[in-house]
Amino acid sequence: MSLYEQSLKDLHKLLQKKEVSSLDLVEESFKRIGEVDGSVKAFLTLDEENARQKAKELESKGPATILSGIPIGIKDNIVTKGLKTTCASKILENFDPIYNATVIDKLDQAKMITIGKLNMDEFAMGSSNETSFYQVTRNPWNLERVPGGSSGGSAAAVAAGEVIFTLGSDTGGSIRQPAAYCGVVGMKPTYGRISRYGLVAFASSLDQIGPITRNVEDNAHLLQAICGLDPMDSTSANVEVPDFAKGLTGEIKGMRIGVPKEYLGEGVGEAARNSVKAALEVLEKQGAVIDEVSLPHSKYALSAYYLLSSSEASTNLARFDGIRYGYRSENAEDLIDLYKKTRAEGFGDEVKRRIMLGTFSLSSGYYDAYYKKAQKVRTLIKKDFDDIFEKYDLIVGPTAPTPAFKIGEKVDDPLTMYANDILTIPVNLAGVPALSLPCGFDNGLPLGLQMIGRHFDEESIYKAAYAFEQATDYHKQRPAL
């Protein structure tokens, strides 16, 4: 049996007893990548020499924490010192960072081992992993299907058994939607729970780093390791970091769960709707109290999100100009020409589309009509969540309206592609935490259940997700790669 069929707890015991070593785990990861990544295409860069060296150094010391010696893959928009970080874009094809993101330093403190960097949609802009400049990642459950995006490489690597842990980032569903498509567990924590220092920004008021794993308990351990206040990020919150795994008792009697009628209405596929209803019955049998609720402004979330995120993207991506780092056009005649040609040649179509939309909505004469109005809608969406959380502990619904679609099926239809995030986007606008976990299959393709909690109450989400997971076996299913 593959070592990666084991849970984190079991691997930790094996490491403690010295029945396996950190180097064994690293070698297992590279072996599996060699076997399947030619088909899946999850990794962009591997760090074999450093990973093996770190594993050998850890061998003599024994595991200091439950995460010690465990290999992990990192989404390629999280900077890693001395390891290429491209954001899956031509404009950063040779960017070699001189510092680590805070989350990478925290993983180092926990003695985890970085295996390599994972493919994504360019600058995290996309829902299918098809906007990457380098390669299209494929869904391990069906290689003709997308893995979701933008953290598609992160989700596909876990589903394919290349690593048991990855980090992704979530701006409007970019951890949860690929987790649903690939049948794994993905957590988008509360905005501010994790430092964004060293995360290449797409939309600074929405982005959040989070863990992708095979099961809920492993996810809780990884989240705990990367949380906390960071003086390098003024938006990171000074709140206590609880022991998330400690509350995983399987006991949810009396927990109040709201199910938004909008999340099971028009546009949500029958398979997704039925799998969520079946999941709610499981939770009800375990003692949860379930009621229908309403998020009346969620229908405006998609429009507000694309205006706000594109506006922030147009500002954040202004730094990529061919002057300080990254790609530089060879054909420029003067400075202005250098800016124009570098950006025209270095950015892909989807990134250009969002820069143009954002620049337009921030421009004089349109700011009040678009950007400012979208911010007001965002406030109303947040209030909808606040109102429900006065009476309920969790909100539950599908993660995505359908299972993974075919590669190439929607890439030329941006509006349809954007609509794939309709169930995840409101969470980012409100800044609340949410998790996706497997809850069923449709023609052999995984479906995801989304659990949404109050600000800084990831504990309740993990508690309910663990109880559901213990009562079902969806998380034990593996793709036949």
Side-chain angles (χ1 to χ4, degrees):
M1 183 169 79
S2 163
L3 289 172
Y4 284 0
E5 291 298 314
Q6 316 261 7
S7 68
L8 172 64
K9 201 186 283 180
D10 292 335
L11 287 176
H12 180 61
K13 284 176 187 169
L14 292 172
L15 288 167
Q16 280 182 315
K17 293 176 186 172
K18 297 194 180 296
E19 290 178 21
V20 300
S21 67
S22 298
L23 187 58
D24 291 333
L25 294 178
V26 168
E27 295 296 356
E28 181 96 5
S29 200
F30 288 131
K31 177 172 173 271
R32 181 65 174 166
I33 290 166
E35 290 168 353
V36 303
D37 206 58
S39 303
V40 176
K41 300 186 183 301
F43 278 91
L44 287 175
T45 309
L46 293 176
D47 196 18
E48 297 190 48
E49 189 180 335
N50 286 330
R52 290 189 174 103
Q53 180 63 36
K54 188 167 181 181
K56 287 172 187 172
E57 289 169 8
L58 288 172
E59 270 178 33
S60 57
K61 301 170 186 173
T65 73
I66 194 168
L67 295 168
S68 293
I70 304 295
I72 185 168
I74 308 295
K75 186 176 179 180
D76 206 25
N77 62 345
I78 299 170
V79 301
T80 40
K81 186 178 180 180
L83 182 60
K84 201 162 67 164
T85 301
T86 70
C87 294
S89 180
K90 180 180 179 179
I91 210 161
L92 284 177
E93 61 186 344
N94 294 313
F95 178 50
D96 192 356
I98 57 171
Y99 70 99
N100 273 334
T102 296
V103 289
I104 302 300
D105 286 338
K106 285 182 175 284
L107 294 178
D108 287 344
Q109 288 161 19
K111 309 292 186 223
M112 295 190 81
I113 300 169
T114 298
I115 287 292
K117 305 301 286 291
L118 291 151
N119 195 28
M120 54 185 280
D121 282 301
E122 185 183 2
F123 282 104
M125 298 180 192
S127 307
S128 65
N129 234 260
E130 293 171 284
T131 70
S132 168
F133 173 70
Y134 301 100
Q135 61 195 33
V136 175
T137 300
R138 295 172 180 272
N139 192 317
W141 290 90
N142 182 332
L143 295 173
E144 293 181 4
R145 304 267 169 169
V146 301
S150 62
S151 307
S154 299
V158 174
E162 296 175 304
V163 278
I164 62 167
F165 287 162
T166 59
L167 289 186
S169 69
D170 193 308
T171 310
S174 291
I175 287 172
R176 290 158 290 150
Q177 185 245 32
Y181 281 4
C182 292
V184 293
V185 178
M187 166 64 91
K188 195 292 287 188
T190 308
Y191 183 81
R193 173 65 91 178
I194 295 171
S195 170
R196 290 183 301 106
Y197 178 71
L199 172 67
V200 179
F202 162 17
S204 306
S205 74
L206 299 160
D207 294 342
Q208 190 65 144
I209 295 167
I212 298 176
T213 60
R214 285 193 173 180
N215 64 54
V216 171
E217 187 174 6
D218 289 6
N219 202 281
H221 282 295
L222 183 53
L223 180 66
Q224 190 180 347
I226 58 175
C227 287
L229 179 68
D230 179 17
M232 303 299 285
D233 176 11
S234 61
T235 65
S236 71
N238 188 11
V239 293
E240 186 186 348
V241 179
D243 184 343
F244 295 118
K246 195 176 180 182
L248 304 183
T249 60
E251 175 57 53
I252 57 166
K253 193 171 182 181
M255 185 177 272
R256 296 185 63 81
I257 294 174
V259 182
K261 61 184 180 184
E262 293 83 1
Y263 278 31
L264 293 175
E266 190 182 347
V268 176
E270 192 177 348
R273 193 182 299 119
N274 290 340
S275 70
V276 168
K277 286 178 179 175
L280 292 169
E281 286 175 17
V282 172
L283 294 169
E284 204 163 28
K285 280 178 189 167
Q286 293 172 302
V289 179
I290 293 166
D291 295 320
E292 186 184 86
V293 295
S294 179
L295 290 167
H297 295 98
S298 61
K299 61 186 173 186
Y300 306 116
L302 206 60
S303 306
Y305 169 83
Y306 277 100
L307 281 167
L308 296 174
S309 64
S310 298
S311 297
E312 293 183 28
S314 77
T315 305
N316 281 327
L317 270 60
R319 71 193 71 175
F320 301 107
D321 54 11
I323 301 297
R324 286 156 292 187
Y325 48 80
Y327 173 80
R328 177 183 293 186
S329 176
E330 301 283 319
N331 311 311
E333 294 176 7
D334 54 36
L335 186 62
I336 299 300
D337 199 40
L338 175 69
Y339 293 154
K340 286 180 180 177
K341 285 185 173 160
T342 294
R343 289 167 68 80
E345 294 164 17
F347 289 136
D349 289 347
E350 183 59 35
V351 175
K352 289 175 187 170
R353 186 180 289 122
R354 298 197 196 196
I355 288 172
M356 289 170 70
L357 174 61
T359 305
F360 171 78
S361 62
L362 289 174
S363 61
S364 175
Y366 296 100
Y367 177 91
D368 286 351
Y370 294 104
Y371 181 80
K372 193 173 176 183
K373 190 167 282 186
Q375 288 287 27
K376 289 178 179 178
V377 170
R378 181 180 189 169
T379 303
L380 293 173
I381 289 167
K382 181 185 175 295
K383 187 176 182 304
D384 286 349
F385 281 102
D386 292 344
D387 290 346
I388 291 175
F389 286 131
E390 283 181 12
K391 297 176 186 173
Y392 295 92
D393 302 303
L394 288 181
I395 294 169
V396 170
T399 309
T402 62
F405 49 89
K406 285 185 177 176
I407 291 168
E409 189 179 327
K410 299 181 181 180
V411 73
D412 296 323
D413 185 357
L415 293 180
T416 303
M417 188 79 88
Y418 295 168
N420 280 289
D421 300 330
I422 197 161
L423 301 171
T424 52
I425 278 170
V427 167
N428 297 76
L429 291 171
V432 292
L435 175 142
S436 177
L437 75 163
C439 71
F441 290 88
D442 180 17
N443 292 321
L445 295 167
L447 296 164
L449 181 71
Q450 182 174 216
M451 295 185 171
I452 306 166
R454 295 185 184 92
H455 286 99
F456 300 106
D457 188 19
E458 288 85 356
E459 283 173 289
S460 291
I461 296 175
Y462 279 135
K463 201 171 178 181
Y466 183 76
F468 175 76
E469 195 178 71
Q470 294 306 296
T472 58
D473 66 353
Y474 300 118
H475 64 293
K476 294 177 182 174
Q477 310 294 318
R478 299 283 180 264
L481 259 177

